[in-house]
Amino acid sequence: MRKPLIKTVFAALFVFVFSSASFALSPEDALSVRPPNSVYAVVRVDDLNGLLQDIFSPANIEMAASMVKPENAQTVRLVASFASQIPAKTVVIASGVTADNKPFVQVAASMPASVRSRLDRVADGSASGVELITLLLGDGALMLGPTMPLELKKGGKGPYYTLGGEAAFAAKDDLLLIASSSSEIEASLGALEKQENRLSLKRRFDSPSYWYMHMDMATVAALSEEEGGLGKPDDFAKMFKAPFKIETAFSSKPGSFLISAAANILESVAAPERYKDMKPVKGANLFLAGGGRLLLALASPTTFAAADLKAADPKFSAVLWDKLVQQLEKVNVSESDVEDLLNGSFSVALGSDATILGKRALGGYLALTGRKGTAAKILGKLVDSEEFSQAVPMAPLKVDGWDLLFAVDPALLPAALVFGVMQDTFFAGITDSEALDKKPEVPTEVSKMLDDPLLGIGVIDAAAIWNWLRQEIANPDSLLSASLTQYGGNSAGDIMRTILEAELAVPFVKMWYPELEKSFVEFSVADVPAGKRLLPILLEIAKAFISESGEE
């Protein structure tokens, strides 16, 4: 007899636990379905109350108050006080426009257990204006309650409130619902009743906070045409074969903040087949040369056809392209040669060794890796051209590993401008020639990316750039110090030194694109002492400048 009883108890617990979980409503459940030809955005903010507490911290409020006139400072403090008391936890907002140009807004917010009794009164139609306004704006808004011209309505999905015919409010379980009209609030309540009435988002990330955009491009074009137009709807229909959907997700962990992005490019964009064939390559084929330290870099495989450019923008970009090709044809470089150079990968980098006006400086370069030996062909044709060589006289250089290398006559420029070819890579940059056979120092955060197959990478070593600026401004003989003294006087150097005393809250940023439809940006986040934060220092400098200008 004991075993059947135990089985019955466990079965009852199983049904209770899982049926209770299935009936728990999330804010997304209150968003109603939309037709494919609409345009809308959905935003979800997790832990809104906690976010507002961070944004409207006492230090931030006082900083904001210091930026306005004294008579307006109290208003800033009052608004911040209201915002910091909003009780909502998770908030989801859907906003957009239908194909017949009718705007809509739906908002759903999960609320804490402490306000459940007020929510229940909103749900059954017995709430007062004071109770509703405190649900929306927190207890600090008590004084506004009696002034709200609320009207109770008995809808087909239950009672709800309207405010001047411009907004509607309702509640269900722990959710507070807000909409732009009576029909939208009833649609929101209907979505909570039945799953088939709910908006379905094809998300790619599991981050609790995100932004999602659905755009039917023919509708976008038709609506914009009424306002002067972005283009003809038929043209957009040729470019997009399905609604364009973009998702941006936000997540954080100790020491970093990550933004993830995705778009249904292959499904929606009527792009040439070669885009679908783009494959990740090691380190996105970032070209490294010139010594120094890699402070900033971008790299990505490329695909290009002049016909696509001419079809997409025949009136502007195509005209500029044709003019470029006409100039290159004078030195026997054809359009197909340029296409071959632009089908491969590109790299942009800052931080290589360089000398400007006889002083050490940051160098940088652009590198294009093409195919069919076009890089050597194009540079050779340019150098051999009498017209080009007269305009830009160059001298040949010899550095191990380089097939061709030329430096522009130093009498023409204050820095060493170098053009070169290494295998299929065309190189142009401000870099010391003796450093061209050296690889730059790479931050440890980037080393792994250089080993991974990627469609693109990006690096901003802000802390290293900041330290370089500190060293330059501390050296009276540096190019930066000399320039500030020459053009801004001693005060310019003093201002720069004051700014550079700050510590960076975001010392490093890296970006990577593992595939065509997904990309990521990660921000390193550092705790900065209150007295070392950059924004307050900039504000103090701006206030002093404004004050001095006013006295004059």
Side-chain angles (χ1 to χ4, degrees):
M1 292 292 293
R2 245 177 113 188
K3 285 186 178 179
L5 178 61
I6 292 173
K7 287 182 179 179
T8 302
V9 171
F10 272 99
L13 286 172
F14 180 87
V15 171
F16 173 77
V17 170
F18 285 93
S19 64
S20 298
S22 66
F23 283 108
L25 296 173
S26 73
E28 284 97 333
D29 294 338
L31 305 182
S32 61
V33 67
R34 300 294 169 182
N37 63 346
S38 55
V39 178
Y40 59 85
V42 177
V43 178
R44 186 186 196 272
V45 180
D46 192 53
D47 189 18
L48 177 65
N49 181 261
L51 178 63
L52 292 174
Q53 293 289 335
D54 290 340
I55 293 174
F56 296 103
S57 66
N60 288 346
I61 291 173
E62 290 310 309
M63 183 175 68
S66 71
M67 296 169 60
V68 300
K69 295 179 179 180
E71 58 267 27
N72 297 328
Q74 191 56 36
T75 302
V76 171
R77 296 186 181 96
L78 182 62
V79 171
S81 176
F82 274 125
S84 64
Q85 294 183 52
I86 292 175
K89 297 190 295 183
T90 299
V91 175
V92 178
I93 305 170
S95 177
V97 62
T98 61
D100 54 355
N101 203 12
K102 291 183 179 178
F104 59 84
V105 178
Q106 287 180 337
V107 182
S110 64
M111 307 296 283
S114 59
V115 301
R116 183 59 186 265
S117 60
R118 278 178 269 175
L119 276 177
D120 290 341
R121 284 192 285 276
V122 173
D124 65 23
S126 62
S128 66
V130 170
E131 289 175 316
L132 185 54
I133 194 66
T134 55
L135 283 172
L136 292 168
L137 298 177
D139 292 338
L142 276 169
M143 66 187 77
L144 301 177
T147 67
M148 290 185 68
L150 291 173
E151 183 179 355
L152 179 63
K153 301 278 189 178
K154 298 292 184 180
K157 304 296 181 182
Y160 62 90
Y161 295 83
T162 62
L163 178 61
E166 298 295 329
F169 310 90
K172 178 74 172 179
D173 293 348
D174 68 341
L175 298 181
L176 177 65
L177 310 177
I178 309 168
S180 54
S181 66
S182 296
S183 61
E184 288 296 332
I185 203 73
E186 294 221 45
S188 187
L189 290 167
L192 291 174
E193 283 185 357
K194 294 182 179 180
Q195 188 167 356
E196 58 264 32
N197 295 335
R198 297 173 188 170
L199 181 64
S200 177
L201 304 180
K202 294 182 179 179
R203 294 197 59 206
R204 305 197 192 193
F205 308 109
D206 57 5
S207 174
S209 296
Y210 63 85
W211 172 84
Y212 187 101
M213 189 79 186
H214 171 106
M215 293 184 290
D216 177 66
M217 299 309 293
T219 302
V220 170
L223 296 176
S224 68
E225 194 174 34
E226 299 176 8
E227 304 295 331
L230 293 172
K232 295 181 179 180
D234 289 345
D235 293 337
F236 274 78
K238 294 175 183 176
M239 295 169 60
F240 294 89
K241 54 188 178 181
F244 191 48
K245 301 172 185 178
I246 307 171
E247 177 187 353
T248 305
F250 311 93
S251 58
S252 61
K253 60 182 180 180
S256 69
F257 182 78
L258 179 67
I259 300 177
S260 309
N264 63 334
I265 296 172
L266 298 178
E267 176 190 41
S268 64
V269 180
E273 287 297 316
R274 68 176 187 280
Y275 284 97
K276 300 177 183 179
D277 296 332
M278 290 180 67
K279 303 296 182 185
V281 294
K282 184 177 179 180
N285 207 24
L286 174 65
F287 187 82
L288 296 173
R293 176 183 171 88
L294 193 68
L295 302 180
L296 181 150
L298 292 172
S300 175
T302 58
T303 180
F304 176 81
D308 295 341
L309 182 66
K310 294 172 183 178
D313 188 6
K315 293 183 179 179
F316 182 71
S317 300
V319 173
L320 293 179
W321 173 260
D322 286 339
K323 289 181 178 179
L324 171 63
V325 170
Q326 288 171 13
Q327 292 300 315
L328 291 173
E329 284 177 344
K330 295 179 180 179
V331 295
N332 296 319
V333 175
S334 67
E335 182 176 79
S336 62
D337 290 334
V338 183
E339 286 181 326
D340 286 335
L341 181 62
L342 298 179
N343 275 283
S345 65
F346 84 94
S347 301
V348 176
L350 175 70
S352 54
D353 290 333
T355 303
I356 299 177
L357 294 174
K359 299 180 183 295
R360 303 303 302 160
L362 288 182
Y365 57 83
L366 165 70
L368 298 172
T369 300
R371 60 190 184 186
K372 301 179 182 179
T374 312
K377 178 181 177 180
I378 290 177
L379 182 57
K381 292 287 186 183
L382 289 174
V383 173
D384 290 341
S385 166
E386 183 177 347
E387 182 179 352
F388 182 83
S389 60
Q390 288 179 350
V392 188
M394 295 192 292
L397 299 173
K398 284 289 185 181
V399 176
D400 290 343
W402 289 84
D403 302 318
L404 291 173
L405 204 57
F406 298 89
V408 176
D409 187 341
L412 297 177
L413 296 171
L417 178 57
V418 177
F419 294 90
V421 171
M422 180 183 288
Q423 298 178 2
D424 271 328
T425 298
F426 176 89
F427 176 96
I430 296 175
T431 303
D432 290 342
S433 59
E434 58 268 24
L436 284 170
D437 60 346
K438 302 174 184 176
K439 300 290 186 185
E441 178 188 350
V442 175
T444 55
E445 297 92 334
V446 183
S447 297
K448 185 177 184 303
M449 289 199 300
L450 295 181
D451 290 330
D452 290 341
L454 295 169
L455 271 180
I457 64 171
V459 178
I460 303 175
D461 193 344
I465 295 173
W466 204 247
N467 288 333
W468 178 84
L469 289 171
R470 285 173 173 165
Q471 293 171 8
E472 289 294 293
I473 201 69
N475 179 7
D477 295 326
S478 72
L479 182 63
L480 179 61
S481 289
S483 299
L484 286 173
T485 302
Q486 180 176 355
Y487 297 107
N490 292 329
S491 60
D494 292 339
I495 291 173
M496 180 64 79
R497 291 183 188 91
T498 300
I499 293 173
L500 292 172
E501 289 175 1
E503 301 289 340
L504 296 180
V506 181
F508 196 87
V509 181
K510 64 179 181 180
M511 299 159 272
W512 67 99
Y513 311 85
E515 59 186 74
L516 185 63
E517 296 192 330
K518 282 187 179 181
S519 61
F520 301 89
V521 182
E522 185 173 19
F523 300 85
S524 297
V525 180
D527 290 327
V528 178
K532 291 289 187 177
R533 292 174 183 169
L534 179 59
L535 184 56
I537 291 175
L538 292 175
L539 290 175
E540 288 300 319
I541 291 173
K543 285 169 62 178
F545 178 78
I546 293 172
S547 176
E548 290 177 7
S549 299
E551 290 176 359
E552 292 176 1

